[in-house]
Structures are given as C-alpha cells and as structure tokens.
Amino acid sequence: MSYDLWYWPSIQGRGEFVRLPLEAAGIEYRDRARDEGAEALMDDMEARSGWGAPYAPPYLVDGDFCIAQTAHIVSWLGEKHGFGGESEAETLGLIQLQLVVTDIVAEAHDTHHPVGTGDYYEDQKDEAKRAAKGFRENRIPKYFDHFEAALGIVEGPFVRGATWSHVDTSLFQLVRGLEYAFPKRMAALSSDYPKLHACADAVEALPGIADYLKSERRISFNEDGIFRHYPELDAD
Ligand SMILES: N[C@@H](CCC(=O)N[C@@H](CS)C(=O)NCC(=O)O)C(=O)O
C-alpha cells in the first residue's frame, strides 16, 4: 500500500508536517506534485468532489479515499499506523495538541503576512514588524509553556513518554522552523524549554527521520514557505 501526498512542490510548508510521520513510520508514499508539478496538483484538486474533497493542500489519498487538513491527516495516520493515542483520553489529548500546533503555525505565517496572504511581504513590512514583535515576545513563550507542560506529563523525550507520536514530529518541525525564522529569539529562549528541545532532538534521531533529513526529499526552509527568515523580524 502506498499513499499519494499532494502538496506544493517547492516548499516544506504544511506538507512537511505530513511527510515527517510518514517518514518516521517508514510508510510508503508518493509526493505527487514533487514528481508531476504544481499544475498536476491544481488539476487533481479541482477534479475532487464529495466527502474528503480538499479545500487546500496538503491532502492524502488512498484509492478513492481522500483526507485533508494537516492536523486531521496526521491524527488519522496516527490512529491507523500506531503513532496516535492508546486510550481515548490520550488520543483526544494528542489531537488537541496537534490543533494547538495548527494555531501557532498559522500565527508564524501571519508574522510575515499580517495583512493579506495574497499580497507581497514587501507591501506589509511595517505591519509584519509589529506582528513579529508580539509573536516573538508573547506568543512563542505562551505556546511553548503549553508544549513544555505537555511533555512533562509522562517521563521520556516524547509526549507519550518513550514512544513518538504525530505530535512529536510536528513539534520537531515547529521548533526547527522557528529556529530558522527567528534564530535570535529561539536562542534566547532555548534554556527555558529543555523538554521541547529534547523532544525535537529525539525526533531528529529517529532512524526514519535521520535518513529523511539526509535525503533530497527534505528540501530546505526558504522564503516562500511558512517559516521565513527575514532578519528585520527577529530579535532577542
Ligand atoms: N488549515 C489547513 C490550511 C491549508 C493551507 O492553508 N494550505 C496552504 C498551503 S500551506 C494553501 O495552499 N492554501 C490555499 C488557500 O488557502 O487558498 C491545514 O492545516 O491543512
């Protein structure tokens, strides 16, 4: 069995939050738009209708089945492939955390596009500076406090303890993305969040992830993605 992942080909973006658990679990998938281009993605998306029809990429396809929305996809994969929760409380807790990741990812995006997603960064630089300041100073610590507390529930590097879940791969991507976008702020905060950094490091060391990060499939962060490094938006 192999899934088809559809996502924009030239950025990590939200697609990366889906790739990571697939890679960590050694699940086969084809990254269709990386192989066939963005036009193929748009054609495929337009052709889909009914239950599961995606509003936006990423989405994952298995035969006639299609599932979209990043948090929804990875939570579903977790339940199906053994990296979700083992009890109802754990499953719901993980999904809840995954939805918190969705929120901070959207806020990270809005630091460089606080006014209009369809407008150029250059046309909203002043607003971006203001948005980034609030994000750096207030929002990152508030979210990180929440993740640090979640990582303290059970002993071990991951939210579930010794075993990774879809939340851990997302926390890894979030931490590395923010380190790319806001290196000064992340360096200043790093000692306040030992569990979060230990979790990111433990995900990075998972064999499937270590192999993936060395491969050509892991493209670099860039200034077209969600996590963008604009030096003027960063500070201690
Ligand atoms: N809430 C959705 C957001 C999906 C989304 O915004 N996808 C972006 C790329 S990262 C996109 O192509 N959006 C097109 C649009 O919103 O019109 C998720 O988490 O998957």
Side-chain angles (χ1 to χ4, degrees), residues 177-208:
L178 291 176
E179 284 171 344
Y180 174 78
F182 302 103
K184 288 184 184 163
R185 183 57 175 153
M186 287 296 282
L189 285 175
S190 101
S191 60
D192 294 342
Y193 299 102
K195 292 188 172 69
L196 188 53
H197 287 282
C199 172
D201 292 346
V203 169
E204 197 165 69
L206 291 170

Side-chain angles (χ1 to χ4, degrees), residues 136-148:
R136 284 192 321 263
E137 293 178 3
N138 306 318
R139 303 302 286 168
I140 296 179
K142 188 169 179 194
Y143 280 111
F144 277 18
D145 284 347
H146 188 69
F147 296 134
E148 191 76 3

